[in-house]
Amino acid sequence: MSDLSHAGIGMTSQRTRERLIARLIEAGITHPEVLRVMRELPRHLFVDEALASRAYEDSPLPIGLGQTISQPYIVARMTQTLLAHGPCDTVLEVGTGSGFQTAVLAALVRRVYTVERIASLQELAQHRLRLLKVRNVRFRYGDGFQGWSDYAPYDGILVTAAPRGVPRALAEQLAPTGCLVLPMGEADRQVLMRVTREADGFDQQVLEPVSFVPLLGGVA
Ligand code: SAM
């Protein structure tokens, strides 16, 4: 991890990390394991060095190529929603981005499969997780609209960019009683949704308004 450490943020990051956790609790994050992982994971290693001092603010930050590392509250909220649904052994993540959400999931479930359409982001995320010795993640460069059928079905699917509707392939790759958490809608009126697979179809629940980059088709 040493070559990923950014100088000068040691003590500040400890204080600001605790402030961030307090803010997450205030905002309704109650899952003890999610809070533990959010407290322990070094988010400053998932952003450019120039932004490291802002890594423990509760806000999204740019990661290049028009993409962002998601707001900590949203990462915690989506993870908590997925875990609250029931036992979660395998998770498919669509939109690896910086790899931060991937690392959070990897600390909480047995295996994570993650798909990213921008090769350079995928490579950097893979590099970060290797340095952090995270070994239960498989990476794929590809179009997440198609999911990753080789390892389906998944207990959980988490999408970190917004499609206009629920992608059919993702719904189909959910295990019976599985849970899909995703943002959905046009840029200025997106909502976070939970889609669960039931014996007789799918149940959809709107959770709260959100703002995500769009889920784009094809690879970059
Ligand atoms: N959780 C990530 C993080 O915290 O860094 C969020 C990354 S960003 C909000 C969304 C990511 O989804 C971007 O890296 C973008 O390239 C990716 N993306 C968009 N459409 C995609 C698609 N069809 N397949 C795979 N990844 C996609």
Side-chain angles (χ1 to χ4, degrees):
M1 260 168 43
S2 56
D3 59 336
L4 273 177
S5 303
H6 300 328
I9 68 159
M11 289 310 291
T12 315
S13 77
Q14 274 311 324
R15 269 203 313 275
T16 51
R17 273 188 213 201
E18 286 309 321
R19 215 177 295 140
L20 173 61
I21 299 307
R23 144 100 194 122
L24 297 182
I25 293 169
E26 207 180 280
I29 304 303
T30 54
H31 196 295
E33 286 298 287
V34 173
L35 288 168
R36 177 184 63 78
V37 172
M38 294 298 294
R39 180 180 279 112
E40 288 174 2
L41 256 189
R43 189 171 184 253
H44 62 279
L45 303 185
F46 290 80
V47 295
D48 190 82
E49 192 166 351
L51 292 170
S53 63
R54 297 186 52 201
Y56 299 96
E57 292 174 9
D58 190 21
S59 55
L61 293 169
I63 55 171
L65 302 161
Q67 304 304 320
T68 52
I69 179 171
S70 303
Q71 179 192 359
Y73 164 71
I74 288 293
V75 171
R77 172 77 158 117
M78 292 177 84
T79 310
Q80 174 170 278
T81 302
L82 206 61
L83 297 185
H85 181 68
C88 212
D89 201 37
T90 57
V91 173
L92 172 68
E93 178 193 37
V94 174
T96 315
S98 68
F100 182 73
Q101 170 80 74
T102 323
V104 170
L105 289 168
L108 294 164
V109 308
R110 188 177 63 81
R111 192 162 275 283
V112 180
Y113 300 87
T114 185
V115 184
E116 170 58 56
R117 69 183 290 277
I118 300 177
S120 58
L121 290 181
Q122 191 245 292
E123 283 158 19
L124 189 52
Q126 197 162 355
H127 175 68
R128 288 182 178 121
L129 266 62
R130 199 179 304 125
L131 288 168
L132 288 169
K133 301 193 183 338
V134 175
R135 298 198 176 90
N136 57 339
V137 178
R138 272 183 202 255
F139 295 84
R140 181 177 190 209
Y141 166 56
D143 178 5
F145 265 108
Q146 311 307 321
W148 194 348
S149 59
D150 299 9
Y151 299 100
Y154 303 98
D155 301 316
I157 300 181
L158 195 152
V159 185
T160 73
R164 291 187 179 169
V166 179
R168 175 189 283 263
L170 298 185
E172 284 172 353
Q173 289 173 27
L174 264 189
T177 77
C179 176
L180 164 61
V181 181
L182 80 168
M184 212 165 82
E186 308 287 337
D188 52 347
R189 21 190 193 94
Q190 294 173 359
V191 285
L192 188 64
M193 308 263 309
R194 184 178 66 180
V195 179
T196 52
R197 189 166 208 160
E198 317 274 330
D200 54 352
F202 293 92
D203 183 57
Q204 296 196 7
Q205 192 188 355
V206 173
L207 301 177
E208 62 186 272
V210 285
S211 177
F212 275 80
V213 295
L215 191 73
L216 301 173
V219 289

